[in-house]
Amino acid sequence: MKPEDYVEQAIAIAVEAGIAIKDIYLEGNFDKEVKSDNTPVTSADIAAHNIITSALTKLTPDIPVLSEEDADIPFAERAEWPRYWLVDPLDGTGEFIAGSGDFSVIIALVEHNRPIMGIVYVPMTEVIYYAIAGLGAYKRSCKGELRISSRQLTCDDEPSLRLAVSRRQDPQSVLKLFNQSRHCELVVLGGAALKSCLVAEGRADCYVRIGPTGEWDTGAAQIIIEEAGGQIMDLELQPLSYNERESLENPNFIVVGSTHLPWDELLVSE
């Protein structure tokens, strides 16, 4: 089967998990713990994980599922997977706990170490972003569905560079990463995947993430931004990789909407 044969079922699974998350969020009654990597996890994360892994296993019994909440799988075993589901049941757990509403459900399909399909579902707005390799990136909402494209700035364009940043991030920590040859504006939003989707739909021009993330944070966003005309790269401007090493932690990375700008010149060297 091709990824387009799975996409509507996978979207439905993401929505089902998102409804469960939204119900828990609105009730305001959830358990919270801190994992061994010092990141938070809630009963909403676990509920979404159980819904997604069960449904994906039923949908495609022959395709393994790698979820943030069940990622302790030896590389020797993972390395044998030609194709697998890569899931973050609740991206933006900190936003969920803080009550901002800026969180999402992420499901990606990875084949030969590259995402080939990705879904980002936003429970509080019921917006769906999705993409399939070679078939484009899309945004689905109550207003309908449209194909999305990132803003393709060039060196000759005058507009400010719009940088997506977290609500709890010091803006100066982002601004200092860029030289002052181009004026920058800040676009504030929550979870990592949502900021990547902002870039994909042209509402921001880039998003820089400094600090620990997992491959599940970027898998779906990567195919969405690529199909929209942009890229996700590490800060050496090399593509991110998937399931190619023991660690599932990403390097610091940048999501860019335009491939025509000299990002190596815009970014300040360490």
Side-chain angles (χ1 to χ4, degrees):
M1 292 178 71
K2 298 177 181 179
E4 52 266 39
D5 298 325
Y6 301 130
V7 67
E8 290 302 331
Q9 296 99 315
I11 287 172
I13 292 167
V15 170
E16 182 184 358
I19 290 170
I21 292 169
K22 184 176 181 178
D23 287 345
I24 295 170
Y25 178 80
L26 293 176
E27 281 181 12
N29 184 20
F30 54 87
D31 297 326
K32 180 179 70 172
E33 297 178 11
V34 177
K35 296 188 287 188
S36 58
D37 63 359
N38 207 34
T39 61
V41 63
T42 70
S43 47
D45 295 76
I46 302 305
H49 162 79
N50 290 337
I51 289 168
I52 294 168
T53 54
S54 174
L56 287 178
T57 300
K58 184 177 180 180
L59 175 65
T60 55
D62 57 331
I63 301 179
V65 180
L66 177 61
S67 167
E68 178 182 10
E69 306 311 332
D70 186 20
D72 192 19
I73 301 171
F75 178 61
E77 179 180 343
R78 289 188 279 110
E80 299 298 317
W81 296 349
R83 177 183 279 198
Y84 66 98
W85 295 104
L86 181 61
V87 175
D88 188 346
L90 175 50
D91 178 59
T93 301
E95 301 291 338
F96 176 92
I97 294 168
S100 76
D102 290 345
F103 47 81
S104 62
V105 178
I106 302 176
I107 299 176
L109 183 62
V110 181
E111 185 174 80
H112 302 305
N113 309 109
R114 295 284 300 174
I116 60 170
M117 182 177 77
I119 297 157
V120 175
Y121 175 64
V122 192
M124 301 311 293
T125 60
E126 300 181 0
V127 169
I128 300 160
Y129 297 91
Y130 74 95
I132 302 168
L135 297 179
Y138 300 86
K139 179 180 181 180
R140 185 181 296 176
S141 70
C142 62
K143 297 178 181 179
E145 180 169 303
L146 69 157
R147 187 164 183 168
I148 57 175
S149 299
S150 57
R151 195 165 73 142
Q152 295 296 317
L153 294 176
T154 69
C155 293
D156 297 328
D157 291 323
E158 293 298 329
S160 299
L161 196 64
R162 299 181 298 206
L163 311 180
V165 298
S166 169
R167 294 182 188 280
R168 273 169 287 285
Q169 191 172 21
D170 175 12
Q172 292 305 316
S173 69
V174 177
L175 291 172
K176 73 180 183 181
L177 297 172
F178 292 84
N179 66 42
Q180 299 305 306
S181 63
R182 196 179 194 108
H183 183 261
C184 296
E185 298 177 9
L186 300 180
V187 182
V188 180
L189 195 64
L194 295 184
K195 290 192 282 289
S196 297
C197 289
L198 275 184
V199 178
E201 63 178 320
R203 292 169 58 198
D205 297 310
C206 80
Y207 159 50
V208 180
R209 174 59 188 243
I210 305 297
T213 60
E215 293 181 10
W216 43 79
D217 290 302
T218 56
Q222 178 151 342
I223 186 63
I224 290 170
I225 188 66
E226 287 179 350
E227 287 297 312
Q231 288 182 312
I232 297 185
M233 304 170 285
D234 65 26
L235 296 190
E236 300 297 321
L237 303 185
Q238 298 301 308
L240 298 187
S241 62
Y242 293 84
N243 201 28
E244 293 189 317
R245 56 196 186 281
E246 191 70 48
S247 172
L248 290 165
E249 186 172 312
N250 284 324
N252 296 331
F253 63 85
I254 182 171
V255 181
V256 304
S258 175
T259 58
H260 306 299
L261 289 177
W263 294 102
D264 56 335
E265 298 175 14
L266 291 172
L267 286 169
V268 175
S269 300
E270 293 291 336

